[in-house]
Amino acid sequence: MSLLFLLSACGQDAPPGPPADIRSVRAEQAGLQSVHNRTRYTGEVHARYETDLAFRVAGRVQTRAVEVGSLVESGQLIATLDPADYALASSAAQAQRVAAEAEARLAQQDLQRYTELRAKNFIAQAELDRRQTTADAAQARLRQLRAEAERQGNQQAYTRLNAPHAGVITALSVEAGQVVAAGQPVAQLARTGEREVSISVPENALDALRAARTLRIGLWSTPGVSYAGRLRELSPMADAASRTYRARVSILQPDAVVKLGMTATVEIDTQAAASLSVAQSALFRVGGQPQVWVVDRKTGKVAARSVRLGELTGDRASIVAGLTAGEWVVTAGVHKLAPGQQVRVLAPGQS
């Protein structure tokens, strides 16, 4: 009976071995790609020319003829100072000028009479020289007092502050009755015409800004509308507080929608030279060294490959060394593989 059991057992098939461990992964073929970098900076719309207006003399503000937002023409009155003291000084200078003119005429008449007396040899040459000197001094004093009278007249005229050009008042810092010093800003005037956006750029983005192919400007108030821009000015020094560089981007052909003070975005589009790149999801690190799994399409097995990275842009990583164009690298499931692992590459859309 036991012999029959043994014979029956020998007749059965041996149990099957464990199934092959084949992992499903996604992969892509490494190739050269031109990477477009798009960076956005937020800024504010300004006029290209913004002028701080100030009186050229000190005094008490008597009137203010504009408000913030006022449109002004060239030569329009902005504010005035109390002109009383300057009017008195101008009158005094004019009176001194008149007195000097009288003295100069008298000295010139004396010189003429003494010249005639000298011609008849009635006086010595020394006396004529003294009269000549007196006449010359009177003429010099007259020129001095004429210049002083003109200067005092200018000082009186400086009590009226006029707009140097057409524009809009964007700031005011004085009120009637306030005493201001000479040169103290009392208003800011933005010239009509060119508009630009002021942005702050970090130091590692300066080269990209200079090399940008296109600059597009958008306004938060009008989504979907954009304007072409041009880099007009880039500060040579970083701001002491923010450590960023101030840049001015001119708005080419702005329309009436673009108003001063609006919030705007400047989009910088740069295109890097074609380079070998892979998805960043293909990267993993061993001992701090970036690596990728390279798939052997003949055997279906993977092997780890150390690579040297270049610039990371979006979800792509530029490969400087360690990989050649046309090789297949795993982009999903990289942390579940081992060297020599058999894999099955999924087609796009396959799960």
Side-chain angles (χ1 to χ4, degrees):
M1 187 71 178
S2 56
L3 180 59
L4 291 175
F5 176 79
L6 291 174
L7 291 174
S8 175
C10 292
Q12 294 178 355
D13 295 336
D21 183 15
I22 301 177
R23 300 291 178 89
S24 297
V25 297
R26 297 192 183 280
E28 70 172 24
Q29 195 172 20
L32 297 177
Q33 292 186 358
S34 296
V35 180
H36 287 268
N37 298 330
R38 287 184 173 86
T39 308
R40 287 185 177 88
Y41 297 98
T42 301
E44 185 178 350
V45 177
H46 291 267
R48 177 171 180 177
Y49 302 102
E50 296 176 325
T51 307
D52 287 331
L53 305 181
F55 289 103
R56 297 170 66 173
V57 293
R60 180 176 60 84
V61 178
Q62 188 175 56
T63 61
R64 197 189 71 191
V66 296
E67 299 291 342
V68 173
S70 297
L71 296 174
V72 297
E73 300 295 332
S74 178
Q76 183 173 332
L77 182 67
I78 302 297
T80 62
L81 296 178
D82 184 356
D85 291 342
Y86 294 99
L88 291 174
S90 179
S91 297
Q94 291 293 343
Q96 290 178 340
R97 177 186 61 80
V98 171
E101 288 176 347
E103 292 177 358
R105 284 196 302 270
L106 179 60
Q108 188 63 33
Q109 291 169 359
D110 285 346
L111 176 61
Q112 184 176 358
R113 286 193 295 268
Y114 276 77
T115 300
E116 294 174 356
L117 292 175
R118 177 55 187 155
K120 298 176 181 179
N121 206 23
F122 288 164
I123 60 171
Q125 180 64 38
E127 184 63 26
L128 178 62
D129 292 343
R130 281 193 294 270
R131 298 297 173 176
Q132 181 67 56
T133 301
T134 301
D136 292 344
Q139 288 294 330
R141 178 169 172 76
L142 175 59
R143 289 193 296 270
Q144 176 190 0
L145 292 178
R146 280 176 176 171
E148 177 63 18
E150 185 175 356
R151 188 182 73 85
Q152 289 297 339
N154 289 340
Q155 295 284 303
Q156 183 178 0
Y158 294 156
T159 60
R160 295 175 61 85
L161 179 61
N162 299 316
H165 47 72
V168 59
I169 300 297
T170 57
L172 286 170
S173 55
V174 297
E175 295 291 343
Q178 181 176 343
V179 177
V180 296
Q184 176 182 337
V186 299
Q188 187 178 68
L189 177 64
R191 184 179 296 186
T192 55
E194 296 185 57
R195 295 286 182 264
E196 57 189 24
V197 179
S198 176
I199 59 175
S200 297
V201 182
E203 59 187 61
N204 63 346
L206 296 179
D207 291 339
L209 177 61
R210 294 189 186 99
R213 298 188 311 157
T214 59
L215 297 176
R216 302 300 302 177
I217 298 171
L219 302 176
W220 282 13
S221 60
T222 55
V225 179
S226 64
Y227 305 86
R230 173 179 58 83
L231 178 63
R232 185 187 67 80
E233 176 185 299
L234 182 60
S235 175
M237 293 184 61
D239 180 77
S242 64
R243 305 309 304 164
T244 57
Y245 291 78
R246 187 177 63 87
R248 291 266 188 162
V249 179
S250 296
I251 304 177
L252 305 181
Q253 299 179 345
D255 52 26
V257 175
V258 182
K259 292 181 172 55
L260 297 175
M262 282 186 166
T263 301
T265 58
V266 178
E267 183 179 273
I268 300 172
D269 183 9
T270 57
Q271 181 177 6
S275 61
L276 193 66
S277 68
V278 297
Q280 290 193 33
S281 61
L283 300 173
F284 65 96
R285 292 181 179 271
V286 176
Q289 174 65 38
Q291 298 190 359
V292 296
W293 291 112
V294 179
V295 181
D296 187 336
R297 298 293 286 177
K298 294 182 180 179
T299 63
K301 296 182 178 181
V302 297
R305 181 87 60 82
S306 296
V307 294
R308 184 154 59 92
L309 299 180
E311 186 177 357
L312 302 179
T313 305
D315 61 349
R316 307 292 298 178
S318 176
I319 304 298
V320 178
L323 199 64
T324 57
E327 292 187 296
W328 286 82
V329 296
V330 177
T331 59
V334 295
H335 299 292
K336 298 181 180 180
L337 302 179
Q341 175 77 54
Q342 191 85 23
V343 297
R344 178 171 64 92
V345 177
L346 298 176
Q350 184 180 0
S351 59

